[in-house]
Amino acid sequence: MGIKRLFFFALVALSFATAKGQMLFPESYAIILDTTRHFKGSVAPSVQLRRQKNNYTEISNTADLVYRFKSHAITVANKFELTKDGDDVVLSGGFVYARYKTFYDNPVVMEYYAQYHWADVRGLQEKYAAGANVRYKFYKNMKGGLFAGVGPFLEREKWNFEGVRDEDLPPDTSPVETDALKFNIYVSSIRCITEKIEVQNAVYLQNKFTNAMNQPRLAASIGLLLSITEYIGVGFQFQTIYDFQPIVPIDKFYYNTFTQLEVTF
């Protein structure tokens, strides 16, 4: 199977799955530490049935895959969340993300990425972003690694006022659209504490070039994976975002925590 065909089928296979904030956390996706491996990925589906005033069904799925070929690597990731009240969709959200890295094992590599993203709970109707980073590897071995990246990206967002409190609603609640050229900075680490415990951390900063360090979007994540068997584990994630100047008057601070059963391959 050719590389282009493999990439297409991987992207389609992962095309259903959400981040509830307006930023993704790409350093939380699969990282290959073992230089002999060519594939690594995980899938974490879940279905919840809740009885409140009505019957609610929550369906979610998280998946990622990294494929390494020669000295390059492709990562695709996806998350989907759907909450239904009978036949009505109450909330939904999700993203499709793809990243390509050149010269995977070099100290300095280029990475190119694109994403589509939506999050009803925050009022983000849709977001498109594409960009590139220069990624630097401080160190990497079988037990972990430390990385940093910086680069520009284009971002287009469309927001409504679903996530805004009633008392903060402006007179005009028409959807707001923005286009911006921004820069992105991140630092991430991964560490295998034992054969059964893996920890990932990352911090992100995004802002317009015209604003420099004034009123950026900040984000951080920490993840813990406890392996039950070689292929099954339990993952814990804490993700937080602070936006100094939101597009619409939603809360500046946002966080998300979740636990999921992960099947890795």
Side-chain angles (χ1 to χ4, degrees):
M1 181 182 292
I3 297 302
K4 292 183 179 178
R5 185 175 297 179
L6 176 65
F7 179 78
F8 173 79
F9 282 118
L11 190 59
V12 171
L14 296 176
S15 64
F16 292 97
T18 135
K20 292 183 178 179
Q22 66 266 43
M23 288 177 62
L24 303 187
F25 297 83
E27 291 302 294
S28 300
Y29 309 146
I31 296 175
I32 296 179
L33 295 176
D34 185 348
T35 57
T36 65
R37 293 187 63 172
H38 293 282
F39 283 98
K40 184 179 180 182
S42 67
V43 180
S46 70
V47 177
Q48 299 180 37
L49 301 177
R50 296 190 300 159
R51 175 66 183 178
Q52 294 181 182
K53 183 178 180 180
N54 300 308
N55 290 319
Y56 287 87
T57 303
E58 294 182 357
I59 304 170
S60 66
N61 183 70
T62 304
D64 59 36
L65 168 70
V66 57
Y67 172 60
R68 181 176 167 181
F69 58 100
K70 297 182 179 179
S71 59
H72 310 282
I74 292 173
T75 300
V76 288
N78 173 271
K79 196 176 181 185
F80 173 78
E81 187 176 80
L82 186 69
T83 303
K84 296 190 69 176
D85 175 7
D87 294 330
D88 298 325
V89 176
V90 181
L91 291 172
S92 72
F95 65 79
V96 178
Y97 173 88
R99 177 171 63 182
Y100 167 68
K101 290 181 185 176
T102 64
F103 306 106
Y104 191 81
D105 288 319
N106 284 9
V108 178
V109 304
M110 289 297 302
E111 55 185 11
Y112 307 91
Y113 62 92
Q115 72 178 73
Y116 173 72
H117 184 188
W118 80 101
D120 284 354
V121 72
R122 294 281 277 174
L124 179 60
Q125 286 187 239
E126 58 183 14
K127 170 176 178 173
Y128 300 89
N133 290 318
V134 178
R135 180 181 177 93
Y136 179 72
K137 176 180 65 179
F138 292 96
Y139 76 89
K140 187 183 79 169
N141 54 38
M142 292 287 290
K143 292 188 176 293
L146 178 64
F147 314 91
V150 60
F153 69 100
L154 286 169
E155 177 184 81
R156 168 172 287 186
E157 296 182 343
K158 184 177 182 180
W159 290 80
N160 59 37
F161 289 81
E162 293 295 325
V164 179
R165 295 189 182 95
D166 290 343
E167 59 269 26
D168 296 328
L169 287 172
D172 183 3
T173 56
S174 302
V176 179
E177 297 186 42
T178 66
D179 295 277
L181 175 63
K182 296 184 175 182
F183 67 88
N184 169 66
I185 300 172
Y186 68 83
V187 178
S188 69
S189 68
I190 179 173
R191 181 68 179 174
C192 298
I193 306 300
T194 69
E195 291 184 358
K196 300 291 186 180
I197 301 175
E198 179 183 292
V199 177
Q200 289 186 340
N201 302 281
V203 292
Y204 306 83
L205 183 152
Q206 296 180 354
N207 207 355
K208 297 179 181 178
F209 282 93
T210 54
N211 286 0
M213 302 299 289
N214 184 35
Q215 299 181 331
R217 275 181 189 168
L218 303 175
S221 67
I222 181 170
L224 177 67
L225 178 63
L226 304 178
S227 298
I228 301 172
T229 70
E230 183 179 357
Y231 301 107
I232 299 176
V234 178
F236 306 90
Q237 286 276 344
F238 175 78
Q239 300 173 341
T240 183
I241 298 170
Y242 191 89
D243 191 341
F244 281 81
Q245 192 175 29
I247 304 302
V248 295
I250 54 176
D251 289 340
K252 294 181 179 181
F253 179 72
Y254 175 81
Y255 70 91
N256 185 30
T257 61
F258 55 92
T259 304
Q260 58 193 16
L261 184 68
E262 295 190 11
V263 179
T264 61
F265 53 88

